[in-house]
């Protein structure tokens, strides 16, 4: 029976100090949902017998089938301790790496979290990831070490071994927390150093030491996990028991007569008890004494398990009576020992009490939000809190106060949108019937039954009247049924048939300040909204009335249509929600895509974007089986995009609809949702589209048989010569060192371009700072267009100089002299990991200096065409020559850039130097195409504005000159790449596999078959589990998890996370050129070339030409009999 109604919950919501917003975080299969079940059963929502079997929070069918959680879902629980009543908003989150985005959405709206760790497996990769996410969001963790029963039943540890094993796990977790903490200290120290660079080194050294100790003193209570501090609980969720040290300290202080405070400090750690002297001393292992934790706690639990598993009835009865428990006859007679253990332990050490009392005592309420967290939430991008408008800074007080008075601003953060069936909404649910309505229905049914019987007896004269009576009765019966509310018990309120099967979107949100009321008007702030821009657009400032506001970008106004209490699988209607609570909001699907900030004041900035651990990398193209159903697919993909925080939906240039997901399991879930919920059509799914990158390398020193190049006899040079000829067409000059000189089709401009590979570190720096490069680009473009934008924040400026300094540090040596200062653009999309460097003397326009190049007369000629050169570079880096994939880690030097001199002389008397250029070209081409020439001259007479804007009005038979420059620059870059050794780069996953020693060989076999590379392998202490860290190409990863599970009979399962891009060492165009290679690989060199295989697969998919033989090995017919 459910113990608490909605009224009770809404009453508890008003006491902000007693609210706890917590999420359960852990590695996959460490027991989060089972633990949640145990906590839910304490509120009577589910039966305690079903806790752990029902998995109440996994409401989707595929979650139940796979046995993993795929979405974060919330439930509100009531917990009473002493006189205090607490409301606990519990959010269960997934542990699978593919759904780590769901963890981010949960962590954002919580104040604390429970980290669950499996007592056997210990700290796993995803445990580290969730701990880091909690740390980044500044929320306080407590620890639950779960599955302790496995130490007894599976590993058969003695209590002493179990104690040392648990101590080990605790040390590992504290080491993790320590690394996060020290990195934070170091970051803050670095910031302080940049702010105050006046201090001497010695002072800074002292400062570091004082700092870390100071922080440890301040935060030690929350920072590290330790049972004596009360932030660790030992549990077995499946058996329904759990305890903190406090529970036993209370019992033993009465039994032994030692103070509870002393026991709290000594029950965990190397202490033992001298029963004669009734004193607690430090353990001396030589005497073979047992620590208190083993002697007083673990041995009791072990002896209980031992008695039940051996079915020692006398001992069980003795234990039960000594503990003062009452066990039901059904449980006592049950043949399954698990049932008996559950019955005894859940009364002796109830898990819900242990966990919830720790949550209430150790985790903060919404009122205890730190100022650091508030400032972090409000500062998007590279802003500092001080740079925000004063009205915005004033909101910090509202956050900290969490006030519910009418004057308090309403601030709500929506962390995700989730879809529910419209039938499940409270307003559409069947309403239970009252006693009177049931009596009426019964009467009506009885009447109808009597009439039917009478009609069946075939009394003709009465039959007609009775039929008429029946008709009358039925119509009378039906009429009131339309008006009566009891129709709701049969079907939802009159809703059109289509709508009843629709999905309704509900926002998963939390109120940070003020009271959210149904029907309230509120602003929806998009992620790019800026309060500073609002001030510029609205003269009255933030006090302007919301009704007559001019349109402000990224801000909309909406109404809170309905508010819901989230109860796992159920939703309950609410009229208002006080601050500090988690809630569902209906009616926002047209205003919020994935996440948003809602605020009653426009001075509130949007919250900092959610921090996702997994990068979406797996792409598939989707089309409907029947082309006529395309509109349903488009609509379905829009809904899917809104319902999933991590998925991306794209329409490529080719017109393909592409779905980008975080991994195979995530992809499968998205496709199921599309088929069954959102589009409801049959769809065809392509093979996964695997992303590659193209790059160039330094010429190799050794050939394919490890001989030094240049010392062998060249035999098969014919191949190479043919290759080279086919690459570069006539009219393009190639220097021996790879400088390409190319002229535009109208022979008026000549470009010289060279491609050089960037060092790996530089590519990495460019990738990490793509957001910073984007903001530099935005600033430059806004200044170019003459818009009056705000000056850069001091912090952003510092970041830019730091970024430049890093590049200068790595780009050293004669080849890279002054390169960083001469960077003209980054690409592709103006923020990618490739660089265009301008070595031209005449024209200088660099990313660092903003738009102001040198305003000399020579320079002004070039400026208009500068954009064309950059566009050509952007196009070249967006699709490389090998298989039209983006480039990575390439630096293009524009060595020379000449505009034809005769063109200038021919028109030296024209309006300005800039236009001379253009008209000169026009006159020269006038002979070949007179119309164009005449038009051009007329145009030139009055087109100063056009030419200064950079749209060259010169048009000849080859098209506009700017277009020719774009095409020529693109070709030059591509040829510059082709004269260097080209390589493909593959996306790589890091792969963590936990496996027992007996299946290790099979795991390695699967890895090597799929081009994987093992980085390290270590054994977990105290277990026979090995942890293998490997890297695996994304291209080879499809079906990898299934294959590993099949080959190891389910004993090993991998976690795949996108890590980095790696150059595939083999040359996709390689052919044997030396005698040694010729002897080793044969004339055809037809052994499988990995890079060529990938390249051809991508070219085939894109419809590009693939050079391959249709018939291979046709020298001789191979018959079956010969092969036997």
């Amino acid at each position: 029976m459910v113990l608490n109604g909605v009224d009770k919950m809404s009453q508890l919501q008003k006491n902000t100090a007693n609210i706890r917003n917590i999420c359960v975080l852990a590695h996959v299969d460490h027991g989060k949902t089972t633990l949640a079940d145990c906590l839910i059963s304490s509120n009577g929502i589910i039966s305690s017998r079903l806790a752990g079997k029902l998995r109440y929070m996994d409401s989707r069918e595929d979650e139940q089938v796979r046995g993993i959680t795929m979405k974060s879902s919330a439930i509100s629980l009531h917990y009473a301790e002493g006189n205090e009543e607490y409301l606990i908003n519990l959010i269960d989150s997934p542990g699978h790496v593919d759904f780590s985005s769901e963890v981010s959405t949960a962590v954002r709206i919580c104040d604390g979290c429970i980290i669950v760790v499996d007592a056997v497996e210990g700290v796993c990769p995803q445990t580290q990831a969730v701990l880091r996410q909690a740390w980044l969001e500044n929320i306080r963790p407590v620890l639950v070490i779960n599955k302790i029963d496995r130490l007894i039943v599976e590993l058969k540890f003695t209590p002493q071994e179990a104690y040392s094993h648990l101590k080990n796990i605790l040390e590992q977790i504290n080491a993790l927390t320590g690394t996060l903490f020290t990195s934070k200290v170091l970051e803050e120290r670095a910031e302080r150093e940049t702010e105050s660079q006046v201090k001497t080194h010695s002072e800074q050294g002292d400062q570091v030491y004082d700092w870390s100790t100071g922080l440890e003193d301040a935060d030690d209570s929350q920072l590290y996990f330790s049972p004596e501090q009360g932030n660790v609980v030992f549990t077995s969720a499946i058996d329904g028991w759990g305890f903190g040290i406090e529970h036993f300290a209370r019992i033993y202080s009465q039994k032994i007569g030692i103070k509870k405070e002393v026991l709290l400090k000594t029950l965990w750690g190397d202490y033992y008890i001298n029963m004669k002297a009734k004193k607690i001393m430090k353990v001396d292992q030589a005497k073979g004494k047992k620590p208190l934790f083993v002697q007083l706690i673990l041995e009791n639990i072990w002896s209980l398990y031992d008695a039940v598993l051996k079915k020692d009835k006398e001992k069980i009865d003795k234990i039960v009576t000594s503990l003062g428990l009452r066990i039901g006859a059904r449980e006592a007679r049950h043949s399954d020992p698990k049932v008996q253990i559950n019955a005894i332990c859940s009364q002796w050490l109830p898990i819900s009490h242990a966990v919830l009392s720790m949550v209430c005592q150790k985790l903060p309420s919404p009122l205890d939000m730190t100022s650091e967290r508030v400032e972090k939430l409000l500062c998007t991008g590279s802003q500092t809190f001080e740079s925000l408008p004063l009205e915005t800074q004033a909101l910090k007080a509202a956050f900290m106060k969490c006030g519910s008075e009418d004057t308090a601003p309403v601030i709500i953060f929506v962390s995700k949108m989730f879809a529910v069936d419209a039938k499940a909404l409270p307003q559409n649910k069947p309403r239970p019937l009252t006693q009177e309505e049931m009596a009426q229905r019964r009467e009506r049914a009885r009447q109808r039954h009597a009439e039917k019987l009478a009609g069946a007896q075939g009394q003709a004269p009465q039959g007609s009247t009775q039929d008429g009576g029946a008709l009358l009765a039925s119509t009378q019966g039906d009429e009131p049924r339309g008006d009566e509310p009891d129709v709701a018990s049969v079907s939802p309120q009159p809703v059109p048939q289509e709508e009843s099967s629709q999905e309704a979107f509900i926002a998963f949100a939390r109120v940070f300040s003020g009271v959210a009321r149904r029907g309230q008007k509120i602003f929806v702030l998009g992620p790019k909204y800026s309060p500073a821009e609002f001030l510029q657009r609205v003269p009255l400032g933030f006090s302007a009335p919301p009704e007559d506001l001019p349109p402000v970008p990224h801000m909309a106004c909406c109404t809170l249509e309905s508010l819901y209490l989230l109860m796992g699988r159920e939703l309950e209607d609410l009229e208002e929600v006080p601050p500090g609570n988690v809630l569902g909001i209906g009616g926002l699907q047209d205003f919020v895509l994935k996440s948003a900030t809602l605020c009653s004041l426009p001075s509130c900035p949007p919250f900092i974007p959610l921090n996702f651990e997994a990068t979406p990398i797996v792409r598939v193209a989707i089309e409907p089986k029947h082309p006529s159903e395309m509109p349903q697919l488009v609509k379905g993909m829009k809904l899917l995009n809104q319902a999933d925080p991590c998925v991306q939906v794209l329409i490529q240039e080719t017109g393909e609809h592409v779905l980008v997901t975080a991994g195979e399991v995530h992809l499968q879930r998205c496709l199921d949702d599309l088929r069954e919920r959102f589009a409801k059509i049959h769809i065809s799914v392509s093979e996964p589209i695997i992303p590659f990158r193209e790059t160039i390398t330094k010429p190799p020193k050794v050939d394919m048989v490890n001989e030094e190049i240049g010392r062998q006899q060249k035999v098969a040079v014919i191949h190479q010569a043919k290759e080279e000829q086919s690459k570069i067409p006539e009219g393009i000059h190639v220097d021996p060192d790879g400088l390409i000189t190319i002229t535009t089709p109208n022979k008026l401009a000549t470009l010289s371009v060279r491609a050089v590979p960037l060092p790996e570190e530089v590519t990495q720096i460019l990738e990490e700072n793509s957001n910073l490069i984007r903001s530099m680009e935005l600033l430059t473009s806004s200044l170019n267009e003459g818009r009056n934008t705000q000056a850069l924040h001091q912090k952003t400026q510092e970041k830019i100089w730091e970024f430049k300094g890093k590049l200068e540090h790595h780009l050293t040596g004669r080849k890279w002299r002054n390169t960083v200062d001469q960077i003209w653009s980054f690409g592709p999309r103006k923020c990618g990991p490739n660089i265009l460097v301008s070595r031209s003397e005449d024209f200088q326009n660099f990313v660092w200096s903003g738009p102001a190049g040198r305003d000399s007369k020579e320079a002004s000629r070039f400026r208009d065409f500068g954009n064309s050169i950059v566009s050509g570079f952007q196009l070249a880096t967006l699709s490389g020559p090998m298989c039209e994939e983006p480039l990575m880690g390439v630096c293009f030097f524009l060595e020379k850039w000449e505009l034809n001199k005769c063109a200038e002389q021919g028109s030296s008397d024209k309006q300005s130097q800039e236009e001379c250029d253009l008209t000169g070209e026009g006159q020269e081409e006038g002979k070949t195409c007179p119309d164009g020439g005449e038009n051009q001259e007329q145009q030139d007479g009055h087109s100063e504005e056009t030419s200064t804007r950079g749209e060259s009005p010169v048009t000849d038979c080859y098209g506009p000159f700017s277009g020719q420059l774009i095409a020529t620059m693109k070709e030059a870059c591509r040829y510059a790449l082709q004269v260097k050794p080209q390589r493909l780069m593959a996306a790589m996953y890091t792969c963590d596999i936990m496996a027992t020693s007996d299946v290790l060989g099979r795991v390695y076999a699967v890895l090597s078959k799929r081009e994987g590379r093992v980085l390290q392998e270590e054994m977990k202490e105290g277990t026979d589990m090995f942890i293998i860290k490997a890297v695996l190409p994304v291209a080879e990863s499809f079906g990898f998890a299934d294959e590993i599970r099949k080959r190891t009979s389910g004993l090993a399962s991998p976690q795949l996370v996108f890590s980095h891009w790696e150059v595939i060492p083999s040359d996709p165009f390689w052919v044997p050129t030396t005698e040694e290679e010729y002897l080793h690989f044969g004339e055809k060199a037809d052994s499988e070339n990995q890079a060529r295989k990938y390249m051809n697969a991508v070219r085939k998919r894109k419809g590009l030409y693939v050079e391959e033989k249709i018939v291979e090995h046709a020298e001789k017919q191979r018959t079956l009999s010969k092969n036997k």
Side-chain angles (χ1 to χ4, degrees):
M1 191 196 104
V2 179
L3 302 177
N4 303 293
V6 181
D7 301 338
K8 173 76 175 167
M9 288 300 187
S10 50
Q11 189 186 333
L12 287 170
Q13 285 186 337
K14 291 180 178 140
N15 184 2
T16 315
N18 282 5
I19 294 171
R20 299 287 181 272
N21 296 315
I22 57 163
C23 52
V24 190
L25 308 176
H27 187 80
V28 68
D29 275 341
H30 278 201
K32 292 179 296 300
T33 308
T34 309
L35 176 66
D37 267 9
C38 294
L39 303 184
I40 294 165
S41 71
S42 71
N43 269 229
I45 296 169
I46 62 172
S47 150
S48 56
R49 281 185 194 149
L50 288 175
K53 302 177 187 74
L54 187 63
R55 301 211 311 278
Y56 182 73
M57 300 299 269
D58 290 353
S59 52
R60 292 171 58 100
E61 191 184 339
D62 47 0
E63 288 181 313
Q64 290 287 350
V65 170
R66 279 181 184 266
I68 59 170
T69 308
M70 294 186 182
K71 61 171 187 345
S72 46
S73 44
I75 191 162
S76 297
L77 304 176
H78 166 253
Y79 175 69
E81 191 173 37
N83 303 326
E84 294 289 331
E85 289 193 292
Y86 293 94
L87 174 70
I88 293 169
N89 294 317
L90 177 79
I91 302 176
D92 183 28
S93 65
H96 195 286
V97 66
D98 281 11
F99 305 107
S100 61
S101 57
E102 293 278 351
V103 177
S104 307
T105 62
V107 165
R108 168 60 59 89
I109 59 179
C110 288
D111 299 306
C113 63
I114 300 175
I115 305 275
V116 183
V117 175
D118 185 329
V120 175
E121 293 183 4
V123 178
C124 294
Q126 208 52 27
T127 316
Q128 301 180 18
V130 294
L131 201 57
R132 187 167 57 248
Q133 274 176 306
W135 182 267
L136 287 173
E137 284 284 349
N138 285 15
I139 69 169
R140 195 180 301 170
V142 289
L143 182 66
V144 169
I145 298 183
N146 192 21
K147 303 195 183 182
I148 300 227
D149 59 300
R150 289 183 69 191
L151 299 180
I152 310 172
V153 181
E154 286 178 29
L155 299 184
K156 304 210 169 12
F157 277 1
T158 63
Q160 182 69 48
E161 287 169 340
Y163 167 66
S164 50
H165 181 72
L166 291 172
K167 221 164 76 170
N168 237 340
I169 290 177
L170 214 55
E171 279 168 15
Q172 287 174 10
I173 293 180
N174 283 333
L176 257 180
T177 314
T179 52
L180 291 167
F181 174 66
T182 45
S183 66
K184 181 187 170 191
V185 172
L186 292 173
E187 269 176 38
E188 293 190 2
R189 196 193 96 209
E191 276 180 27
R192 290 196 166 198
E193 272 183 15
T194 50
E195 284 168 23
S196 53
Q197 289 172 337
V198 197
K199 293 189 178 180
T200 60
H201 290 289
S202 62
E203 281 178 341
Q204 281 172 353
D206 296 341
Q207 181 195 6
V208 177
Y209 179 71
D210 294 343
W211 240 69
S212 56
T213 49
L215 256 169
E216 274 175 20
D217 292 342
D219 286 347
D220 212 17
S221 57
Q222 308 124 28
L223 193 60
Y224 294 111
F225 300 109
S226 162
E228 65 261 26
Q229 283 174 19
N231 59 3
V232 179
V233 163
F234 303 93
T235 66
S236 165
I238 200 77
D239 288 344
W241 61 264
F243 64 88
I245 276 184
E246 193 187 1
H247 176 79
F248 281 99
R250 197 168 54 246
I251 296 171
Y252 284 116
S253 67
Q254 294 162 0
K255 277 194 176 179
I256 306 171
I258 295 176
K259 283 182 185 170
K260 183 182 163 190
E261 290 74 27
V262 177
L263 279 172
L264 270 175
K265 285 180 183 164
T266 54
L267 263 176
W268 177 263
D270 294 335
Y271 300 97
Y272 77 95
I273 191 162
N274 183 337
M275 289 307 280
K276 287 176 188 169
K278 292 211 169 177
K279 277 186 180 173
I280 291 173
M281 305 174 183
K282 273 277 191 193
V283 157
D284 182 9
Q285 287 292 351
K287 292 178 183 170
K289 299 278 185 188
K290 294 169 188 166
L292 280 178
F293 189 74
V294 174
Q295 193 178 348
L296 302 181
I297 301 176
L298 293 186
E299 284 189 347
N300 290 327
I301 295 171
W302 256 245
S303 63
L304 169 64
Y305 268 81
D306 190 50
V308 175
L309 292 172
K310 286 181 178 169
K311 302 199 174 170
D312 185 343
K313 196 164 186 328
E314 284 177 22
K315 194 175 176 186
I316 295 171
D317 292 343
K318 191 179 168 189
I319 290 171
V320 169
T321 48
S322 69
L323 290 172
L325 308 175
R326 293 181 64 188
I327 302 298
R330 179 178 168 277
E331 278 86 3
R333 285 199 306 270
H334 208 289
S335 58
D336 184 2
K338 281 277 183 193
V339 174
Q340 289 190 337
I341 287 174
N342 198 327
I344 299 168
C345 291
S346 57
Q347 288 183 50
W348 174 37
L349 302 169
I351 183 171
S352 56
H353 175 73
V355 174
L356 293 179
S357 70
M358 170 174 74
V359 162
C360 295
Q361 287 166 18
K362 295 294 166 192
L363 293 181
S365 75
L367 292 173
D368 304 329
M369 191 185 256
T370 58
S371 60
E372 184 186 3
R373 186 177 179 200
V374 175
E375 288 183 16
K376 201 171 172 184
L377 285 176
L378 294 179
C379 298
T380 44
S382 48
Q383 288 177 318
T384 54
F385 185 68
E386 289 73 32
S387 66
L388 295 168
L390 290 174
E391 291 90 337
T392 304
Q393 292 187 35
L395 287 175
K396 180 177 167 182
F399 267 94
M400 307 285 283
K401 189 180 173 198
C402 212
S404 56
E405 57 274 4
D406 292 341
T407 52
V410 180
I411 302 171
I412 303 172
F413 181 73
V414 175
S415 74
K416 67 167 187 173
M417 301 291 284
F418 65 97
V420 293
D421 196 334
K423 289 176 191 165
L425 294 176
Q427 60 264 33
N428 298 342
K429 266 193 188 165
R431 185 176 62 78
L433 298 174
T434 60
Q435 289 292 330
E436 296 83 27
E437 286 168 347
M438 284 161 82
Q440 278 178 357
R441 288 196 166 197
R442 213 175 295 121
E443 190 55 44
R444 228 177 279 144
R446 202 176 286 129
Q447 270 182 358
R448 255 185 245 129
H449 185 61
E451 283 152 10
K452 253 186 204 166
L453 280 175
Q457 282 162 8
Q459 297 162 352
Q462 293 171 341
S464 58
T465 59
Q466 276 189 337
D467 272 354
L471 197 75
L472 192 74
S474 69
T475 50
Q476 281 172 350
D478 280 353
E479 274 169 13
R481 208 187 303 168
D483 313 334
E484 280 168 13
D486 66 1
V487 68
S489 63
V490 182
S491 65
Q493 286 167 0
V495 178
Q497 190 53 45
E498 290 172 37
E499 261 183 59
S500 60
S501 61
Q502 270 187 350
E503 298 289 328
F505 276 91
I506 289 175
F508 190 62
R510 169 177 167 181
V511 185
F512 279 91
S513 160
V515 180
R517 291 186 173 84
R518 183 188 288 192
Q520 185 177 13
K521 282 253 190 295
I522 200 158
F523 293 114
V524 180
L525 313 177
K528 292 183 182 173
Y529 170 75
S530 155
E533 196 172 337
F534 179 90
L535 277 179
Q536 286 178 6
R537 286 176 178 262
V538 182
L540 290 170
F542 295 126
S543 56
E547 289 76 36
D548 41 297
L549 279 180
V552 177
H554 312 295
M555 184 173 95
C557 192
C558 77
T559 308
L560 299 178
E561 282 180 21
S562 38
L563 307 177
Y564 301 111
L565 176 68
L566 303 171
M567 290 298 287
R569 303 179 182 190
E570 307 292 321
L571 294 166
E572 302 289 352
D573 258 328
L574 292 173
E575 280 304 314
E576 60 174 48
V577 180
N581 282 292
V582 173
L583 78 160
I585 306 174
L588 288 182
Q589 60 261 45
D590 300 333
F591 298 96
V592 178
L593 179 61
K594 289 176 190 259
S595 66
T597 310
L598 313 180
C599 185
S600 57
L601 295 177
S603 57
C604 180
F607 283 18
I608 186 168
L610 291 167
N611 180 30
F612 290 152
E613 285 278 318
T615 323
I617 189 88
V618 180
R619 297 167 170 248
V620 289
I622 293 175
E623 59 182 24
K625 280 261 170 72
H626 309 293
S628 60
E629 293 175 333
M630 196 64 180
Q632 283 104 297
L633 177 70
V634 173
K635 188 180 167 197
M637 286 181 84
K638 269 187 190 162
L639 294 175
L640 175 68
N641 187 29
Q642 193 166 16
D644 193 305
C646 187
V647 79
Q648 292 175 9
V649 173
L650 314 168
I651 297 181
Q652 291 196 320
E653 295 87 351
T654 52
E656 285 177 307
H657 286 74
V658 173
L659 204 61
V660 193
T661 58
E664 268 189 286
V665 184
H666 187 208
L667 172 66
Q668 198 51 53
R669 190 194 83 172
C670 290
L671 295 177
D672 290 347
D673 276 355
L674 257 184
R675 287 191 188 103
E676 290 157 25
R677 295 180 70 184
F678 300 129
K680 293 183 181 164
I681 55 170
H682 294 291
I683 52 176
S684 311
V685 182
S686 72
E687 286 295 304
I689 301 170
I690 299 138
F692 287 97
R693 296 285 181 266
E694 299 183 21
T695 189
I696 50 174
T697 56
K698 291 174 181 168
K701 298 273 192 301
V702 293
D703 65 8
M704 292 291 278
V705 282
N706 286 337
E707 293 280 338
E708 203 172 319
I709 285 176
R711 299 214 175 155
Q712 321 92 322
Q713 282 180 286
K714 297 266 181 188
V715 173
V717 188
I718 325 127
H719 290 293
Q720 198 75 350
K722 276 182 189 168
E723 285 280 328
E724 292 300 332
Q725 284 165 13
S726 65
K727 276 185 192 171
I728 310 292
E730 289 176 32
I732 292 165
H733 184 261
V734 184
D735 284 5
D737 64 343
L739 182 71
I740 296 282
T741 307
I742 186 169
T743 312
T744 53
N746 61 10
K747 306 284 186 285
L748 288 181
T750 308
L751 304 172
S752 298
V753 177
R754 175 188 285 114
V756 178
L758 282 170
E760 250 177 71
E761 301 85 12
V762 176
T763 313
Q764 209 172 336
I765 292 168
L766 291 174
E767 275 199 292
E768 286 164 4
N769 290 287
S770 61
N771 286 338
L772 188 65
I773 298 172
R774 198 177 280 119
S775 56
M776 281 162 56
E777 174 56 38
L778 285 171
L779 182 84
T780 311
S781 60
S782 61
L783 286 173
N784 270 333
E785 290 167 20
R787 279 191 279 143
N788 182 23
T789 54
Q790 290 179 303
L792 274 179
H793 301 301
Q794 185 62 32
K795 205 166 182 183
T796 316
Q797 195 62 53
E798 278 170 19
K799 277 187 183 167
I800 290 174
W801 292 124
E802 185 190 343
F803 166 55
K804 189 179 178 186
K806 277 186 195 166
L807 289 180
E808 280 168 346
H809 173 67
H810 289 292
L811 292 175
T812 49
R814 191 171 54 81
K815 184 172 70 172
W816 299 105
R817 192 175 294 147
N818 297 336
T819 300
V820 178
D821 293 324
Q822 295 171 341
I823 293 175
W824 187 1
S825 180
F826 299 94
R829 300 192 175 90
K830 303 211 171 175
C831 61
N834 303 288
I835 296 178
L836 174 63
V837 175
S838 168
R839 288 271 168 92
S840 166
E841 290 299 316
D842 304 310
F843 174 57
Q844 292 171 357
N845 182 8
F846 307 125
V847 285
W848 315 111
S849 59
R854 290 191 318 199
D855 266 327
S856 62
K857 282 190 174 178
E858 310 90 66
S860 60
R861 291 184 288 122
F862 292 90
R863 184 161 308 112
D864 291 338
F865 302 122
N867 286 343
S868 305
I869 297 284
V870 171
S871 301
F873 160 74
Q874 298 296 345
L875 288 171
T877 51
L878 193 58
S879 54
M882 273 196 285
C883 51
E884 304 291 325
E885 289 288 302
L887 299 183
M888 189 168 186
V890 182
C891 175
F892 290 102
F893 288 102
L894 181 63
E895 298 284 358
K896 282 210 297 285
W897 174 19
E898 294 171 355
L899 287 181
N900 207 323
K901 291 283 183 282
C902 68
E904 296 165 26
Q905 291 161 7
S907 52
S908 54
D909 53 344
K910 288 285 176 189
Q911 298 157 352
S912 69
Q913 188 72 27
E914 203 166 290
E915 280 167 20
C916 316
D917 246 10
L918 309 176
T919 32
E921 288 160 20
Q923 283 172 349
E924 189 168 350
E925 295 299 329
K927 296 162 193 166
T928 48
C929 74
D931 302 341
E934 284 163 26
N935 291 346
Q936 194 53 57
E937 282 176 18
Q938 287 166 14
Q939 223 180 354
D940 256 2
H942 53 80
S943 74
E944 220 165 321
E945 308 89 293
T946 355
S947 52
T948 49
R949 268 208 319 271
E951 294 171 12
S952 155
V954 174
T955 309
D956 47 38
C957 63
Y958 298 106
F961 185 53
S962 55
Q964 292 178 42
L965 266 179
I966 292 174
T968 309
M969 180 65 187
K970 182 184 171 187
E971 292 303 302
C973 291
R974 289 182 84 135
Y975 292 135
L977 281 173
Q978 285 176 319
V979 295
K980 293 288 169 90
Q982 296 178 79
R983 295 286 181 273
L984 268 185
M985 290 180 90
M988 302 298 272
Y989 277 137
T990 49
C991 168
D992 292 284
I993 305 172
M994 289 187 74
T996 49
S997 51
D998 45 344
V999 294
L1000 218 54
R1002 295 179 211 163
V1003 170
Y1004 279 176
V1006 176
L1007 270 171
S1008 58
K1009 174 185 159 190
R1010 290 174 173 262
E1011 309 285 329
R1013 196 172 71 248
V1014 176
L1015 302 178
Q1016 72 179 89
E1017 166 202 296
E1018 58 182 47
M1019 192 170 183
K1020 264 209 159 351
E1021 259 180 83
T1023 64
D1024 62 344
M1025 300 290 278
F1026 280 85
I1027 299 177
I1028 301 154
K1029 273 193 170 2
V1031 287
L1032 181 79
V1034 173
E1036 302 289 341
S1037 71
F1038 301 102
F1040 173 72
D1042 287 343
E1043 188 177 354
I1044 280 233
R1045 274 196 286 272
K1046 276 178 197 156
R1047 293 287 299 276
T1048 61
S1049 315
L1051 290 173
S1053 58
Q1055 286 266 76
L1056 298 173
V1057 186
F1058 173 69
S1059 164
H1060 63 287
W1061 295 92
E1062 195 171 281
V1063 177
I1064 301 172
S1066 53
D1067 180 358
F1069 300 110
W1070 179 80
V1071 283
T1073 58
T1074 64
E1075 192 167 3
E1076 287 86 352
E1077 289 177 341
Y1078 193 67
L1079 289 169
H1080 190 276
F1081 291 102
E1083 187 182 349
K1084 292 194 174 60
D1086 45 20
S1087 57
E1088 184 75 325
N1089 177 342
Q1090 196 66 22
R1092 191 176 189 89
K1093 185 180 87 176
Y1094 289 152
M1095 182 181 81
N1096 285 345
V1098 176
R1099 290 185 74 92
K1100 263 183 195 161
R1101 180 170 58 74
K1102 293 187 174 179
L1104 303 169
Y1105 169 68
V1106 178
E1107 188 182 315
E1108 58 183 355
K1109 296 171 185 164
I1110 305 302
V1111 178
E1112 288 202 31
H1113 310 298
E1115 300 98 342
K1116 173 182 172 194
Q1117 181 181 356
R1118 297 194 165 143
T1119 57
L1120 284 172
S1121 56
K1122 273 280 168 71
N1123 285 343
K1124 275 178 185 171

